[in-house]
């Protein structure tokens, strides 16, 4: 006991002087309002790990939901850890301190379960960074019972193969119910990893890489994605942690529905999160009220992939302004699709700027990607926004989409010119700001474009320069573009196979970490790692044969391969598919759980 | 106007002044109190804080004022209990008619410095230095300067392994505790750290009138 207290004192002393010498020490102190009760009795410790900095991790709704669910269980104490920024990482190493959780400052190594939430491919090296700082071996096969069970979850599990060998189990799909089941199994079988893995494998949504037979790089088992069948019954925190420092999305958030009706063909989130499940309007209002009262925040976000498509949007829009006024709060509404845009949504945010994503510059290309919005929709939205005193416009586009030509790039420029003209016509003023953000298309698993090649680095540079030359001549427009090399590595990792675990490890050992941070990313680490391994990264971004077995084909996402293939063929023929809000397109997702409109449909007896 | 005295201890020491402002405002709202907002396009709560505390310094005597209509002191303290993050605690409350302007009130700040491994006899060296000229290296306008700061030290004492020091902390005459500490470290070849320091009191001038006393008087005037 004395030894423990003494060690803790030394640790605290060291930590104090470290915190005085790192950027933004508030990231590492914990103690926020709303954290779990660390004095409670428990028999299982769970740490949610987010492989990026606190400000980004704490903006993620998923980990807040899981934190709440796990801590509401009488047996579990659930804590958090985020990737320490490079200065803190170096200090921890220098002072021989293992990476620790925020709540009790326990070393990650001492937890029963360490669950990583993996949101984007460029965070893969940070997983290894966090493991190394915790003295935890990278590969599952190198870890015995004395180490925590390593679990992965989050949208990157759409293709878990590149990081599969690092993890003991991978949770594919919604984590609300599965995480508790895994925790139960670990609690009941502590010290017996073999039994834990075997039992976990029986849970729907759980993939145990070490127990799967792999032939020619492809897993031979079938794993079904887990889904929460009824979102209204699923636990959603009525109280959330209120961070002590400013975070990226600094507000509590209520999720309206999961999945998306639109079916844009490049969009992984749309298909990965299907079937579409609604949270009822009454539940949403109750949650908003509870969250505002329990957090003290001055604003709230309502979130979902395409808010305007929410089944009860008109009811919500009728009541929300009143509630916002009563509680003296702002309501933030992200992710507007232009066709669902409504002036009342805009008014609610009390903001003088609007963000939207036409994604492509011409109607032809928007048809290819199934972004079902027209030039007329864009004009109506802009006019609406201008009449609501908006003078700042942020537009997102992509380059490198299948079948794209220079004419489509010209279309992006034309949209901006049109907004400029409309603004002058309607206001007589020129004080408009237009920000254009152009990303490079990355073909992602579980989308109709999962077979498509990514354009080469030279072509990316050509297209970025093409736009730069055009935009430089237009007033009031600032043009930003994503780094092409980062998009290339993202595409490699997104559609990679098990061989890439070694690539990630090698790149990390050469210096790659915080790859999603522009100033930290260096493609040299990745190229050198590939060279050492003798693999050609271009193969991973090349076009795939429609009949090829893809590394993620062993997972049943609900949405069928046949549907995705059909959508791809329609894309090449410039044919669109209408969103499924009113008519089901039979994508297959409803075999996992009924889509909300199916339920509604049955209730209406119209089926 | 409601003025609250609060402590900022443990890991909360590492929170910036700006973060503290948001934390305190959210705490009040969570407790169910709605401050009066300024008028205009971007309304903000009427909310004022005492001078910023250097990062890493613990304090038992920070203040903020907020305008909340029809407020009862007792209800405020009771309802805010349990609403603060770890390390921050509301200690006392005063209701005054006028705005006490807490930012300018703390003309002298008192600190307790834990002297590990420094014996009392060494302390006489400090006293002597202060009488004869106590020199520190401090940052001013992005440059380091060497300055005799004896005139900014109001008082110094030693109690049970602790140095108690009162430093001027007005807008124009101000000795930061970090600078004082580095001066002591140089003088005694010691390695005292900011984590050994707690700010224990604030006074409105060189006399012994603490902010607490001043606020109590203001409150009494209101009652009269
Ligand atoms: S609207 Fe399109 S891009 Fe947005 S979430 Fe839905 S499918 Fe994806
Ligand atoms: S099953 Fe039908 S309604 Fe459900 S997501 Fe698929 S297409 Fe849409």
């Amino acid at each position: 006991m004395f030894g423990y207290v003494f060690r803790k004192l030394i640790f605290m002393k060291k930590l104090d002087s470290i915190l005085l010498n790192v950027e933004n020490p508030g990231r590492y102190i914990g103690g926020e309002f709303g954290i779990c009760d660390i004095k409670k009795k428990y028999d299982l410790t769970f740490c949610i790990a987010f492989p990026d900095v606190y400000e980004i991790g704490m903006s993620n709704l998923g980990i807040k939901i899981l934190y709440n669910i796990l801590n509401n269980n009488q047996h579990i104490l659930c804590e958090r850890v985020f990737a320490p920024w490079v200065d803190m990482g170096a200090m921890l190493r220098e002072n021989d301190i293992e990476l620790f959780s925020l709540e009790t400052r326990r070393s990650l190594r001492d937890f029963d379960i360490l669950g990583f939430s993996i949101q984007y491919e460029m965070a893969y090296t940070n997983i290894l960074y966090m493991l190394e700082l915790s003295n935890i071996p990278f590969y599952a096969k190198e870890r015995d019972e004395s180490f925590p069970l390593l679990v992965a979850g989050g949208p990157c599990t759409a293709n878990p193969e590149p990081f599969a060998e690092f993890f003991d189990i991978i949770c594919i799909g919604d984590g609300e119910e599965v995480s508790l089941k895994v925790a139960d199994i670990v609690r009941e079988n502590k010290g017996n990893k073999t039994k834990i893995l075997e039992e976990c494998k029986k849970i729907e949504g759980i993939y145990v890489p070490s127990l799967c037979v792999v032939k020619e790089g492809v897993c031979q088992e079938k794993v079904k994605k887990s889904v929460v069948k009824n979102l209204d019954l699923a636990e959603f925190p009525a109280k959330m942690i209120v961070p002590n420092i400013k975070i990226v999305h600094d507000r509590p958030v209520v999720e309206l529905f999961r999945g998306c009706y639109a079916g844009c063909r490049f969009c992984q989130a749309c298909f990965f999160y299907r079937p579409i499940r609604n949270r009822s309007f009454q539940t949403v209002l109750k949650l908003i009220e509870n969250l505002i009262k329990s957090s003290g925040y001055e604003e709230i976000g309502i979130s979902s992939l395409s808010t305007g498509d929410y089944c009860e949007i008109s009811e919500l829009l009728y009541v929300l302004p009143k509630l916002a006024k009563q509680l003296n709060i702002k309501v933030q509404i992200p992710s507007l699709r232009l066709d669902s845009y409504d002036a009342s949504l805009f008014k609610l945010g009390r903001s003088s700027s609007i963000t939207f994503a036409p994604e492509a510059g011409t109607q032809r290309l928007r048809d290819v990607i199934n972004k079902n919005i027209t030039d007329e929709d864009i004009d109506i939205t802009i006019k609406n926004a201008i009449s609501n005193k908006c003078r700042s416009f942020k537009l997102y586009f992509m380059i490198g989409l299948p079948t794209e030509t220079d004419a489509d790039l010209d279309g992006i420029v034309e949209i901006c010119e049109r907004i400029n003209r409309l603004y002058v016509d309607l206001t007589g003023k020129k004080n408009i700001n237009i920000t254009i953000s152009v990303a490079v298309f990355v073909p992602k698993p579980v989308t109709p474009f999962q077979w498509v090649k990514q354009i080469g680095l030279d072509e990316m540079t050509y297209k970025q320069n093409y736009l730069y030359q055009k935009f430089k001549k237009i007033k009031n427009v600032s043009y930003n573009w994503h780094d092409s090399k980062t998009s290339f590595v993202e595409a490699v990792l997104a559609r990679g196979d098990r061989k890439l675990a070694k690539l990630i490890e090698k790149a990390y050992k050469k210096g790659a970490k915080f790859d999603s941070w522009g100033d930290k990313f260096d493609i040299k680490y990745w190229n050198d790692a590939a060279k050492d391994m003798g693999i050609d990264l271009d193969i991973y971004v090349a076009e795939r044969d429609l009949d090829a077995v893809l590394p993620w084909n062993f997972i049943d996402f609900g949405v069928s391969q046949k549907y995705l293939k059909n959508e791809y063929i329609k894309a090449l023929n410039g044919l669109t598919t209408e969103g499924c809000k009113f008519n089901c397109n039979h994508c297959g997702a409803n075999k996992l759980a009924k889509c909300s409109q199916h339920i509604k449909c049955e209730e209406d007896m119209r089926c | 106007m409601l003025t609250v005295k609060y402590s900022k201890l443990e890991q909360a020491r590492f929170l910036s002044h700006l973060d503290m402002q948001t934390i305190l405002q959210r705490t009040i709202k969570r407790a169910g109190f709605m401050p009066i907002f300024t008028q205009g396009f971007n309304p903000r709560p009427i909310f004022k804080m005492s001078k910023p505390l250097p990062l890493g310094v613990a304090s038992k005597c920070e203040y903020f004022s907020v305008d909340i209509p029809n407020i009862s002191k007792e209800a405020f303290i009771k309802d805010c209990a349990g609403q603060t993050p770890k390390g921050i605690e509301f200690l006392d409350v005063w209701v005054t008619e006028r705005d006490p302007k807490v930012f300018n009130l703390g003309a002298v700040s008192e600190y307790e410095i834990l002297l590990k491994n420094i014996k009392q006899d060494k302390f006489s060296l400090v006293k002597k230095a202060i009488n004869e000229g106590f020199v520190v290296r401090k940052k001013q306008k992005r440059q380091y300067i060497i300055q005799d700061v004896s005139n900014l030290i109001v008082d110094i004492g030693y109690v049970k392994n602790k140095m108690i020091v009162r430093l001027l902390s007005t807008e124009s005459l101000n000795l930061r505790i970090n600078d004082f500490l580095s001066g002591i470290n140089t003088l005694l070849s010691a390695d005292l750290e900011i984590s050994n320091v707690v700010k224990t009191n604030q006074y409105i001038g060189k006399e012994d009138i603490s902010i607490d006393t001043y606020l109590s008087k203001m409150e009494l005037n209101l009652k009269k």
Side-chain angles (χ1 to χ4, degrees):
Chain A
M1 184 63 189
F2 178 74
Y4 171 77
V5 173
F6 187 67
R7 276 201 311 278
K8 193 93 189 167
L9 277 175
I10 301 262
F11 167 77
M12 291 305 288
K13 189 98 216 81
K14 278 186 184 174
L15 187 60
D16 271 354
S17 57
I18 289 174
L19 290 177
L20 282 171
N21 290 300
V22 294
E23 197 182 294
N24 212 345
R27 285 169 173 164
Y28 313 107
I29 62 173
E32 305 95 317
F33 176 79
I35 58 166
C36 60
D37 172 15
I38 57 170
K39 291 189 185 125
K40 88 176 200 188
K41 286 212 168 96
Y42 55 84
D43 34 28
L44 183 108
T45 51
F46 195 124
C47 187
I48 298 178
F50 193 92
D52 212 321
V53 292
Y54 178 92
E55 295 91 314
I56 296 179
M58 281 304 290
S59 301
N60 180 272
L61 178 61
I63 69 165
K64 288 180 187 160
I65 295 177
L66 279 185
Y67 184 82
N68 183 64
I69 290 177
L70 291 163
N71 278 312
N72 279 350
N73 183 294
Q74 52 169 335
H75 299 291
I76 305 171
L77 181 75
C78 176
E79 308 191 29
R80 296 157 300 151
V81 67
F82 301 88
W85 188 239
V86 283
D87 57 350
M88 182 68 172
M91 288 277 193
L92 291 177
R93 277 197 189 116
E94 215 172 278
N95 287 278
D96 208 9
I97 295 179
E98 284 184 353
L99 186 57
F100 53 87
S101 64
L102 289 182
E103 280 78 357
T104 63
R105 306 222 159 81
R106 194 192 311 261
S107 290
L108 299 197
R109 218 149 59 98
D110 296 335
F111 278 88
D112 294 315
I113 302 178
L114 181 56
F116 276 87
S117 167
I118 315 178
Q119 302 287 322
Y120 30 87
E121 292 81 0
M122 301 315 283
Y124 291 173
T125 47
N126 269 17
I127 299 169
L128 303 189
Y129 169 55
M130 293 172 78
L131 292 180
E132 191 170 70
L133 285 173
S134 312
N135 292 322
I136 297 176
F138 294 161
Y139 290 90
K141 62 176 184 236
E142 293 167 353
R143 296 188 300 262
D144 60 15
E145 281 83 356
S146 64
F147 291 99
L149 188 84
L150 244 72
V151 183
C156 283
T157 59
N159 175 20
E161 288 306 79
F163 54 81
E165 291 184 353
F166 301 140
F167 287 92
D168 298 302
I169 66 170
I170 292 169
C171 166
I172 295 163
D174 299 333
E176 283 101 327
E177 289 157 8
V178 174
S179 53
L180 281 176
K181 289 182 189 161
V182 169
D184 271 347
I185 291 174
V186 175
R187 192 166 56 81
E188 282 157 16
N189 299 285
K190 268 192 190 175
N192 187 348
K193 191 169 174 180
T194 315
K195 178 95 189 289
I196 289 173
L197 296 182
E198 278 164 1
E199 289 299 311
C200 284
K201 193 171 176 247
K202 296 176 193 161
I203 306 172
E204 194 166 288
I206 292 293
Y207 166 40
V208 183
S210 63
L211 298 185
C212 283
V213 179
V214 180
K215 264 194 208 154
E216 289 162 23
V218 179
C219 175
Q220 300 297 305
E221 309 268 334
K222 269 278 166 217
V223 178
K224 200 188 244 181
K225 182 179 80 174
S226 74
V227 293
V228 167
K229 296 204 165 49
N230 187 335
L231 218 52
D232 250 351
L233 298 179
E235 246 185 274
F236 193 89
K239 191 176 147 188
M240 280 184 190
I241 295 176
V242 183
N244 284 331
I245 61 170
K246 193 156 174 44
I247 59 169
V248 178
H249 300 297
D250 206 1
R251 64 189 78 96
V253 170
V254 177
E255 183 193 27
L256 295 181
F257 65 104
R258 217 166 273 184
C260 181
Y261 303 101
C264 304
R265 290 173 179 139
F266 56 84
C267 180
Q268 188 181 54
C270 172
F271 299 100
F272 182 74
Y273 288 111
R274 280 182 178 189
I276 295 150
R277 287 143 297 153
N278 245 6
R279 184 165 270 125
S280 75
F281 157 67
Q282 283 84 359
T283 314
V284 168
L285 285 188
K286 209 164 149 223
L287 286 171
I288 292 178
E289 204 163 340
N290 285 345
L291 280 171
I292 283 295
K293 285 190 177 153
S294 66
S295 68
Y297 265 99
E298 43 299 294
E299 67 179 63
I300 193 145
I302 52 177
S303 111
S304 49
L305 290 172
S306 174
T307 305
D309 281 331
Y310 178 53
C311 280
E312 293 166 283
I313 190 75
S314 44
E315 291 90 331
L316 193 68
L317 287 177
Y318 180 72
V319 177
L320 261 189
K322 293 191 182 86
L323 191 67
K325 199 166 174 207
Q326 182 197 327
L327 299 171
N328 199 13
I329 53 164
K330 280 189 198 172
V331 182
Q332 287 290 347
I333 303 162
S335 332
L336 293 176
R337 267 176 59 241
L338 284 169
D339 55 348
S340 65
Y341 181 79
D342 187 297
S344 33
L345 282 178
F346 187 74
K347 272 185 193 150
L348 256 180
R350 283 198 232 152
S351 151
S352 59
S353 65
I354 176 174
T355 303
F356 55 87
E359 306 292 5
T362 59
Q363 191 59 55
R364 185 200 68 79
L365 192 55
R366 284 199 295 273
D367 287 348
V368 170
I369 63 174
N370 205 39
K371 193 88 196 177
N372 284 332
I373 48 168
T374 60
D375 282 339
E376 203 190 340
D377 291 329
I378 297 177
D379 288 356
I380 292 171
T381 306
I382 300 298
K383 283 180 191 162
N384 246 332
I386 294 172
S387 63
N388 277 294
K389 299 205 168 40
C390 176
R391 60 180 200 88
S392 193
F393 298 82
K394 189 163 188 188
L395 279 78
Y396 287 98
F397 291 96
M398 265 190 271
I399 53 168
L401 288 161
T403 77
E404 183 182 77
T405 65
D406 285 357
D408 300 301
L409 303 182
D410 292 336
I412 299 178
V413 181
E414 273 159 31
I415 291 176
C416 292
E417 286 173 332
R418 230 173 42 241
I419 297 175
N420 247 330
R421 270 199 310 275
L422 278 172
Y423 190 79
V424 176
D425 289 351
L426 290 171
T427 64
K429 292 180 191 159
K430 290 182 179 169
N431 61 342
I432 182 175
N433 285 319
I434 306 175
T435 306
I436 303 292
S437 197
V438 178
V440 178
F441 165 66
V442 176
K444 295 266 172 141
V446 209
T447 68
F449 288 164
Q450 61 185 356
W451 296 277
V452 173
K453 72 162 190 175
Q454 187 186 49
I455 56 168
L457 284 168
D458 290 345
E459 207 178 334
M460 291 179 201
T461 313
Y462 164 77
K463 286 176 193 277
Q464 285 165 339
N465 279 339
Y466 185 92
L467 286 172
Y468 174 73
Q469 295 304 332
K470 299 257 171 177
F471 278 124
K472 144 171 130 173
K473 295 176 197 141
I474 306 176
K475 276 190 183 157
N476 306 326
V477 174
S478 48
Y479 163 56
N480 308 318
W481 62 94
H482 283 205
D483 177 47
S484 46
K485 296 184 179 95
T486 312
S487 304
F488 169 72
V489 175
E490 186 185 335
V492 170
L493 296 174
R495 295 193 302 174
D497 51 21
R498 280 211 184 183
K499 268 190 255 145
L500 292 198
K502 270 270 168 285
L503 180 85
I504 298 166
E505 184 197 356
K506 278 191 184 289
Y508 170 67
K509 289 210 164 137
K510 286 178 189 294
K513 58 176 171 288
F514 287 104
D515 292 302
S516 59
W517 293 69
D519 58 331
K520 294 280 167 283
F521 175 79
D522 191 343
I523 197 163
K524 193 174 176 302
Y525 302 133
W526 295 91
N527 283 337
D528 289 354
K531 208 167 151 200
D532 284 0
M533 287 173 67
I535 57 169
D536 179 5
L537 297 184
D538 287 336
I539 291 173
Y540 287 94
V541 298
E543 185 164 348
R544 311 276 168 109
D545 195 279
L546 265 182
D547 297 319
V549 181
L550 303 168
W552 53 94
N553 274 167
F554 71 98
I555 304 168
D556 180 357
F557 293 101
V559 178
S560 68
Q561 287 297 305
K562 195 172 144 212
Y563 181 81
L564 295 177
K565 252 182 220 175
N566 194 31
E567 278 295 291
Y568 178 41
I569 293 164
K570 279 174 92 175
L572 296 180
N573 292 311
L575 299 172
T576 58
T577 301
E578 221 182 289
C580 58
K581 188 170 175 184
F582 301 109
N583 290 306
C584 174
N585 293 323
H586 309 287
C587 74
N590 62 333
K591 74 171 189 233
L592 300 180
K594 272 189 180 158
C595 288
S596 291
Q597 67 277 44
H598 292 175
I599 297 172
K600 205 165 185 307
C601 195
E602 277 171 21
E603 279 166 4
D604 294 351
M605 308 289 267
R606 272 191 264 117
C607 267
Chain B
M1 200 81 170
L2 186 91
T3 301
V4 181
K5 180 184 186 181
Y6 67 95
S7 59
K8 190 182 174 209
L9 303 169
E10 302 169 54
Q11 300 302 299
R13 290 177 292 137
F14 296 101
L15 294 169
S16 72
H17 190 64
L18 204 64
D19 289 330
M20 281 306 296
Q21 180 172 328
T22 317
I23 290 169
L24 296 168
Q25 289 179 2
R26 286 186 184 151
T27 300
I28 294 169
K29 277 188 77 185
R30 273 200 295 273
F33 299 101
M34 190 59 83
I36 295 175
F37 276 65
T38 56
Q39 303 293 314
F41 181 70
N42 200 1
R44 291 175 184 284
I46 297 175
F47 188 90
K48 294 168 186 180
M49 293 171 76
S50 50
K51 287 193 194 76
L53 193 62
L55 214 65
V57 178
S59 172
K60 294 176 179 171
C61 55
E62 296 306 297
Y63 299 83
F64 70 87
S65 298
V66 60
D67 214 349
I68 303 174
N70 311 322
I71 184 84
S72 127
K73 273 171 65 164
E74 293 69 27
F76 185 84
I77 285 277
K78 189 171 142 270
D79 293 352
C80 288
Q83 299 293 340
T84 48
K86 195 161 178 263
I88 297 164
E89 199 185 334
F90 290 180
L91 306 170
D92 212 341
V93 181
W94 295 266
V95 178
T96 59
E97 193 176 23
R98 280 183 298 115
D99 172 5
K101 301 203 164 57
V102 281
F103 186 85
N104 296 322
L105 277 186
V108 172
S109 301
E110 182 179 277
Y111 298 93
E112 250 179 44
I113 306 166
L114 183 68
L115 301 173
K116 38 159 209 180
N117 310 325
I118 298 178
K119 297 268 151 42
Q120 190 165 6
D121 51 340
K122 283 237 180 155
F123 178 68
S124 52
L125 274 179
V126 180
K127 278 215 114 165
K128 190 164 168 259
I130 289 169
N131 287 333
E132 292 171 3
F134 184 71
V135 174
V136 300
R137 184 171 175 263
K138 58 188 277 198
K139 209 171 182 183
Q140 203 168 303
K141 293 186 184 143
R142 292 197 203 144
Q143 289 183 0
Y144 279 101
I145 56 159
I146 305 287
Q147 192 186 343
D148 180 355
V149 292
S150 325
N151 61 326
L152 304 179
I153 302 169
V154 178
D155 198 3
I156 188 155
Y158 182 95
V159 184
K160 278 195 199 156
N161 219 19
K162 279 180 193 153
M163 188 191 294
I164 317 286
V165 62
R166 288 188 190 177
L167 307 176
L168 276 182
S169 51
T170 66
E171 198 86 323
S172 49
L173 293 169
N174 178 23
L175 176 56
R176 281 164 42 94
I177 183 66
N178 309 48
D179 296 329
F180 175 78
L181 211 61
S182 73
I184 294 284
N185 279 338
T186 315
L187 182 73
L188 302 180
S189 308
D191 61 345
L192 295 172
E193 287 165 1
I194 208 73
S195 52
N196 299 109
V197 179
V198 184
K199 188 173 171 184
T200 46
N201 216 337
Q202 294 197 56
Y203 301 88
I204 61 164
K206 286 191 183 176
E207 308 76 33
D208 255 358
I209 305 170
S210 68
I211 292 186
D212 295 7
T213 314
Y214 177 79
L215 289 168
S216 300
K217 271 191 190 155
M218 273 185 88
E219 190 175 51
L220 212 61
N221 287 342
L222 173 71
K223 280 182 190 152
K224 276 182 192 163

